[in-house]
């Protein structure tokens, strides 16, 4: 999500999302994002093929909305999207807020078929007990550990521990912020399940992503060599 202001220019999410949280606009923005993602996904499935599961960030205020689940299910039905096509990402801090209610909400979403992930894992205060209590399927290792992991022993040890723990708990693990071939090779040596970052592509709009999907379909994708 990017904000293109005619007066200021391009405003990054780190600048406007906190303000949206404070003013409760994040609820409207969040619902718009889910609807737009489902609209784009339905079009890609019809015209290009299955692009795989798409992850969407959720805020605590979205989860706290009493009609959140009903709103999500209506959007999915309107666009003909299966819940298994979408993954919702939450931060570790969400798990510490009103645990009883949060568990109930997340279990409802999980039972509906949605995959749930913890974003920026390692920067909060999640415990093993929390990981067992919540229906989480994916851990996303925070980019701050990935940046220097190829040559920093401490960061490398943390990543190795998270991957080993995830494997023991039968969770998928995603490394965030991959920008170099050295980082990618290090993570592959640890058999990290998935990775994301600028090495694979900069943030792009739906039109540009459609082009990427088409390139993958016909085998001309410029990043194919990364996975050789």
């Amino acid at each position: 999500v990017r904000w293109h202001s005619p007066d200021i220019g391009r405003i990054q999410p780190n600048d406007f999302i906190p303000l949206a949280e404070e003013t409760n606009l994040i609820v409207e923005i969040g619902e718009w994002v889910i609807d737009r993602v489902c609209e784009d996904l339905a079009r890609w499935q019809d015209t290009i093929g299955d692009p795989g599961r798409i992850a969407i960030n959720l805020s605590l205020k979205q989860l706290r909305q009493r009609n959140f689940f009903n709103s999500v299910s209506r959007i999915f039905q309107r666009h003909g999207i299966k819940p298994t096509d979408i993954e919702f990402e939450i931060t570790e801090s969400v798990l510490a807020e009103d645990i009883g209610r949060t568990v109930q909400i997340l279990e409802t979403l999980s039972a509906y078929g949605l995959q749930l992930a913890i974003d920026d894992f390692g920067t909060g205060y999640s415990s093993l007990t929390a990981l067992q209590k919540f229906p989480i399927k994916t851990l996303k290792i925070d980019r701050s550990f990935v940046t220097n992991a190829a040559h920093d022993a401490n960061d490398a040890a943390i990543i190795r521990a998270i991957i080993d723990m995830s494997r023991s708990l039968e969770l998928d693990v995603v490394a965030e912020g991959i920008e170099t071939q050295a980082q990618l090779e290090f993570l592959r040596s640890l058999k990290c399940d998935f990775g994301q970052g600028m090495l694979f592509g900069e943030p792009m709009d739906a039109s540009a992503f459609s082009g990427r999907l088409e390139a993958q379909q016909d085998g001309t994708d410029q990043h194919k060599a990364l996975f050789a």
Side-chain angles (χ1 to χ4, degrees):
V1 177
R2 298 294 184 272
W3 177 10
H4 297 274
S5 168
D7 299 319
I8 304 175
R10 190 176 191 180
I11 304 174
Q12 297 298 326
N14 289 345
D15 294 325
F16 72 84
I17 291 298
L19 182 60
E21 290 271 6
E22 290 180 17
T23 60
N24 286 328
L25 281 173
I26 193 65
V27 174
E28 295 178 50
I29 294 173
E31 184 171 338
W32 178 86
V33 168
I34 295 172
D35 184 75
R36 182 59 183 270
V37 168
C38 289
E39 178 183 334
D40 291 336
L41 178 57
R43 184 174 66 256
W44 293 329
Q45 289 176 338
D46 289 341
T47 60
I48 303 175
D50 185 7
R53 191 169 61 241
I54 296 183
I56 303 173
N57 293 98
L58 290 185
S59 74
L60 177 60
K61 289 190 176 182
Q62 283 178 272
L63 284 175
R64 282 178 171 173
Q65 296 298 303
R66 291 186 178 277
N67 65 341
F68 176 69
F69 174 75
N70 291 334
S71 173
V72 168
S73 60
R74 283 197 300 269
I75 291 173
F76 285 2
Q77 291 171 12
R78 180 162 65 247
H79 296 290
I81 296 300
K82 301 189 298 295
T84 51
D85 291 332
I86 299 294
E87 178 177 82
F88 281 153
E89 297 181 3
I90 57 176
T91 60
E92 290 182 86
S93 60
V94 171
L95 303 184
E97 296 283 343
D98 194 355
I99 294 178
R101 175 169 168 74
T102 302
V103 168
Q104 183 179 21
I105 294 172
L106 295 183
E107 285 183 342
T108 298
L109 295 173
S110 179
Y112 185 54
L114 285 155
Q115 185 120 331
L116 302 173
I118 298 181
D119 196 16
D120 302 331
F121 185 77
T123 59
Y125 302 96
S126 293
S127 65
L128 292 176
T129 301
L131 293 179
Q132 293 175 319
K133 182 178 297 183
F134 293 93
I136 300 299
K137 299 297 183 183
T138 304
L139 295 184
K140 303 189 70 176
I141 303 173
D142 187 71
R143 63 181 298 117
S144 62
F145 301 115
V146 174
T147 299
N148 298 314
H151 53 265
D152 185 288
N154 291 329
D155 286 345
I158 290 173
I159 290 179
R160 186 176 292 107
I162 293 175
I163 291 175
D164 288 344
M165 178 188 67
S166 300
R167 191 170 291 122
S168 298
L169 295 174
E170 298 183 345
L171 302 175
D172 288 335
V173 59
V174 180
E176 299 181 292
I178 301 175
E179 298 182 356
T180 69
Q181 188 71 33
Q183 293 168 345
L184 176 62
E185 292 303 323
F186 170 75
L187 292 161
R188 293 175 75 175
S189 73
L190 298 181
K191 295 181 171 56
C192 184
D193 297 313
F194 303 100
Q196 71 178 63
M198 301 289 271
L199 183 64
F200 309 110
E202 297 187 7
M204 63 187 73
D205 59 23
S207 176
F209 189 67
S210 296
R212 174 65 60 81
L213 291 177
E214 291 171 349
Q216 288 180 340
Q217 289 287 339
D218 60 27
T220 60
D221 180 50
Q222 61 179 323
H223 295 91
K224 187 177 181 180
L226 289 171
F227 308 99

